[in-house]
Structure formats: structure tokens, C-alpha cells
Amino acid sequence: MIAEVIKNSFQSKYNNRPLLIKSPGRINLIGEHTDYNLGFVMPAAIEKAIYFAIQENDSKHINIETFLTSPEQITFDLNGKTNEFSSFWGNYFKAILKILRDKKYNLKGFDCVFGGDIPIGSGLSSSAALCCGFIYAVSELLDLGINKAEIALIAQKAEHNIGLNCGLMDQYAVLYGKKSNALFLDCKTLDHKHIPINLHGYSWVLINSNIKHNLAVDSEYNKRRESCELVVNHLRQSNTEINSLRDVKLADLNSIKNEIPSTDFKRANYILEENSRVEKMKNALESGNANKVGALLLEGHNAMSKEYEITTKELDLLVSIGQKLKGVIGSRMMGGGFGGCTINLVKTNLVEDSITSLISTYKEETGIDAEVYELHIGDGVHIIS
Ligand code: GLA
């Protein structure tokens, strides 16, 4: 078990008993790019996670170490000075420690070892797991009393500082996830509700296209956000009550169709439709209507592919292969886009046949080995011991 490996590695290096924290990755059933438009999303925390072993060290140094990608240790002093580092993950810790210092939280020296099994750059939010888990761990260890809503905002700010202008979906999933449930989150009010996602006779399966993305260094994600903001700003000129696409009705949008670039119109239109898909998905799950769930997945994927233009040809291929298989009820790309996983609703008795066929056709057509993950919905961030 990875948690044990992390704990043992901490103990053998620092000869001290650590606090052990589990911080999960997330999936998203539907509601893509709606979070920063203050719309609806429906993510869930998963069993794949990052684990942190952490303990005070009575020094003025913060040592953070991993063997996650390539092994590296980064040391910060309490003023934020650090050694040169090469791992991308170091940027997140640097950004978080700076925000905590700016907010006048009383930091002390500690040692931290982390690692996990969330595939990086696969749309499963390894970075939100990293950021939320670390802030939670530091807060618990040093008794800083940072509540979950505040952790989410700090983690989001760290992402923004590194370059991804993300919303709050990933952070809320990582922090508020609950076993066997999705989180129906209203990103405007931040109200959230747990929705059971088990459909009798059906299984959820993730397929990693193995096309990796780094949304923080790829500006395509931020460009989508800019398009949406441009539309909001345009509409605000005649109605100052419009603060986000959440406040926009289809008729408002149609009324400015000829005044804005067609790409921006298409993107804003996608967001309005995606919000309504999230509400429909909630109803379909609550009434146990698997066919409707599958149809919504597919509709969402096609819209991401054609209107919001955030898929890749490999992700489109995985979805279209699935469409031809009896066992696959529906599937869609998941997360920020430009690579990563699809989420698939599959008839349980046909999982093996369907997935074998999907993987082998994908390999024949792309030469890439896709990976399959059985989906286990787990709890949000918590202390293990
Ligand atoms: C990334 C971002 C989220 C969200 C999704 C797309 O995961 O971090 O805030 O925008 O993409 O739904």
C-alpha cells in the first residue's frame, strides 16, 4: 500500500512518527469548464490519491521530498528562500507557502514526504490533490485552523499564480468528496449536495488516452476562459447585473450573436448548454436512468469536441469506438481537456469484452497503449493516522 511506503520512507529518513494524510484525485461526471463561469459541475473524489507524511522538525526549514516523478528534495526556509529545483511540483509548494506567509499564518519548520498513484497530466487533478492535501496537512500539523473553503481558495490561487486560471471544481471535489457519491456543486453559491452515482447493473470505467497535458503551461485552457469573459463584458455594457455566464440567458446571448466573434459565441453557447446538461444528469442519476446518463455523456463529449474544441483526436476516437460497442452506454472526455481520460458508463456484464475491444481498436488506430482504471469513488481529503 502506497500510504505505508510513504510513511516508512518518512520514518527511516527522519526517525520520527509522521501525521499521514490522504488527498484524492477526482473525476467529473459532467460540467466541464463551467466552474470558472460560476455554473454547475458534478465531480467526485476517487481512491487514487497523493499521500503526505509530515512532522515538525524544530528547525527553521521546511523539507519536502518525493519519489513521485523523479526523486527530489526541496528545502524552503521560513522566509521562502529555496534551493534550485527541477520538478514542476516544486512550484506548487513554493506558491502555497508564499500565500500562507502573505496571509500571516504562523509557519514552523517541518519535514514532508509525499507520493501517490494519480497519473499526472491525465485529467484526474493530481495538482488539486497536491495543493489541497498539502495545505490541509500543514494546517492540521501546525494547528492553523484553515477551513476547507479557505483551503480551496488558497489552492486555486496557487494554480493561478503558476499559470492556470482554473475554477474551484477540483478543489471542492478533493476536499468535500464522499464515498460512492458525486458532488453537485453550484459554483456561484458554492452550495453542494452529494448524489449517489451507482447505477444497478452498470459500471464506471476510466480510460487514459495516454496523451498527457500540462494545463498550467498550455494557454488553450486560459483562452477558453478569456472568450467567456469577453462575452460577459460585452453583455455587461447593456446590463450591469450580468457578472458571469451564469447570469446569461440563451436569448441574451443570441441577441449579440452578430456583435462578437463567432468562436466566442460558440464557446459561451457551449457553457450555457453544459450547465443544463449538469442539471439533467442530476435528474437522470436520481431517477436511475442509465440510458439518459449515457446519452448526456455523449452529448457533452460532442459539444466539447465541436463547440468548445478542447478534445484531441485520440479522445474523440476512444468515444467513437465506444459508441459502436453494445456494452458502452456513453462516454466523454473528462477534465480540462487536450489529453487525459475518458469516463465510460458500461454494462457490468459486458465490461471485460467492451474494454478489451476498445483498447485493442485504439492501439490499432493510434499505436498507443491506453490504460484502464476501475473507478472507485472515495472520501475527500482526510487524516489516515
Ligand atoms: C481543470 C480545472 C478546473 C475545471 C476543469 C474543466 O481541471 O482545474 O477548474 O475548469 O479543468 O472542467
Side-chain angles (χ1 to χ4, degrees):
M1 194 189 164
I2 307 170
E4 283 300 305
V5 177
I6 303 292
K7 187 172 158 194
N8 293 339
S9 124
F10 183 98
Q11 278 173 341
S12 62
K13 174 144 188 184
Y14 296 110
N15 196 23
N16 200 350
R17 275 173 69 91
L19 186 66
L20 196 61
I21 308 283
K22 177 176 178 181
S23 185
R26 66 105 188 87
I27 52 112
N28 185 23
L29 290 186
I30 202 148
E32 234 53 276
H33 287 250
T34 43
D35 60 350
Y36 55 77
N37 288 300
L38 307 191
F40 301 116
V41 290
M42 214 193 283
I46 56 177
E47 283 296 343
K48 286 186 185 299
I50 297 183
Y51 300 86
F52 295 85
I54 189 166
Q55 196 45 270
E56 288 187 52
N57 62 14
D58 291 326
S59 84
K60 292 195 162 25
H61 287 100
I62 294 171
N63 300 309
I64 306 176
E65 187 180 6
T66 190
F67 37 86
L68 194 59
T69 37
S70 44
E72 187 166 22
Q73 172 169 321
I74 305 182
T75 298
F76 297 87
D77 71 16
L78 293 181
N79 298 316
K81 278 221 194 74
T82 173
N83 57 316
E84 288 271 311
F85 55 83
S86 54
S87 313
F88 194 77
W89 56 261
N91 296 308
Y92 293 103
F93 294 105
K94 194 174 168 187
I96 289 166
L97 290 170
K98 174 160 183 347
I99 298 167
L100 294 178
R101 273 198 317 280
D102 290 349
K103 287 182 174 279
K104 308 281 181 238
Y105 283 111
N106 188 14
L107 295 176
K108 294 181 194 154
F110 59 83
D111 301 315
C112 173
V113 174
F114 74 95
D117 61 355
I118 308 176
I120 293 173
S122 298
L124 299 175
S125 262
S126 53
S127 67
L130 188 78
C131 294
C132 295
F134 181 64
I135 302 163
Y136 180 82
V138 174
S139 176
E140 290 295 315
L141 179 75
L142 304 179
D143 213 6
L144 302 180
I146 313 178
N147 64 34
K148 285 186 178 177
E150 176 71 4
I151 293 176
L153 291 174
I154 297 172
Q156 182 193 35
K157 186 155 196 237
E159 296 267 9
H160 286 190
N161 292 352
I162 291 168
L164 181 71
N165 292 326
C166 62
L168 279 167
M169 167 172 81
D170 305 347
Q171 294 74 12
Y172 267 70
V174 169
L175 292 159
Y176 294 98
K178 183 174 156 196
K179 200 171 167 46
S180 305
N181 282 264
L183 191 75
F184 179 83
L185 170 69
D186 177 339
C187 297
K188 184 172 180 182
T189 59
L190 295 177
D191 286 343
H192 44 90
K193 183 179 170 203
H194 290 111
I195 312 273
I197 67 161
N198 292 335
L199 290 161
H200 190 66
Y202 297 87
S203 305
W204 293 99
V205 182
L206 297 178
I207 303 184
N208 190 344
S209 67
N210 268 332
I211 302 294
K212 293 201 184 310
H213 62 198
N214 183 340
L215 298 175
V217 297
D218 173 5
S219 63
E220 285 302 321
Y221 179 99
N222 293 345
K223 280 190 199 151
R224 299 302 181 281
R225 184 168 184 157
E226 282 160 23
S227 277
C228 298
E229 287 169 355
L230 183 138
V231 174
V232 170
N233 289 336
H234 192 98
L235 284 161
R236 263 182 77 79
Q237 289 168 11
S238 49
N239 181 353
T240 50
E241 277 174 20
I242 292 180
N243 294 310
S244 70
L245 284 183
R246 178 67 179 281
D247 306 325
V248 174
K249 305 254 173 319
L250 199 55
D252 304 331
L253 185 60
N254 283 330
S255 73
I256 59 158
K257 187 169 181 178
N258 298 325
E259 299 164 21
I260 55 175
S262 62
T263 307
D264 297 329
F265 174 82
K266 220 165 53 168
R267 289 177 179 169
N269 189 54
Y270 158 84
I271 297 295
L272 267 49
E273 288 176 359
E274 183 76 349
N275 274 331
S276 93
R277 272 189 289 271
V278 183
E279 294 188 282
K280 287 181 195 157
M281 179 66 91
K282 179 171 168 281
N283 294 336
L285 282 169
E286 284 173 339
S287 58
N289 187 340
N291 286 332
K292 180 76 190 165
V293 170
L296 286 166
L297 294 173
L298 211 55
E299 190 187 301
H301 182 85
N302 290 336
M304 286 189 288
S305 171
K306 310 232 157 46
E307 293 173 43
Y308 216 59
E309 296 173 298
I310 52 172
T311 64
T312 64
K313 60 180 190 316
E314 294 81 4
L315 290 161
D316 289 347
L317 180 65
L318 280 174
V319 170
S320 79
I321 303 170
Q323 260 184 287
K324 295 180 196 110
L325 299 171
K326 225 173 58 216
V328 181
I329 307 303
S331 60
R332 61 181 280 277
M333 176 215 92
M334 205 183 57
F338 311 103
C341 293
T342 59
I343 181 163
N344 302 260
L345 183 66
V346 189
K347 279 197 177 135
T348 304
N349 61 345
L350 293 173
V351 166
E352 221 175 291
D353 287 358
S354 309
I355 299 304
T356 310
S357 178
L358 243 162
I359 298 297
S360 71
T361 314
Y362 183 70
K363 171 87 179 180
E364 270 162 36
E365 299 205 15
T366 61
I368 303 170
D369 287 304
E371 271 167 276
V372 180
Y373 314 125
E374 232 182 278
L375 185 54
H376 299 287
I377 304 296
D379 287 323
V381 69
H382 58 278
I383 297 175
I384 301 182
S385 64

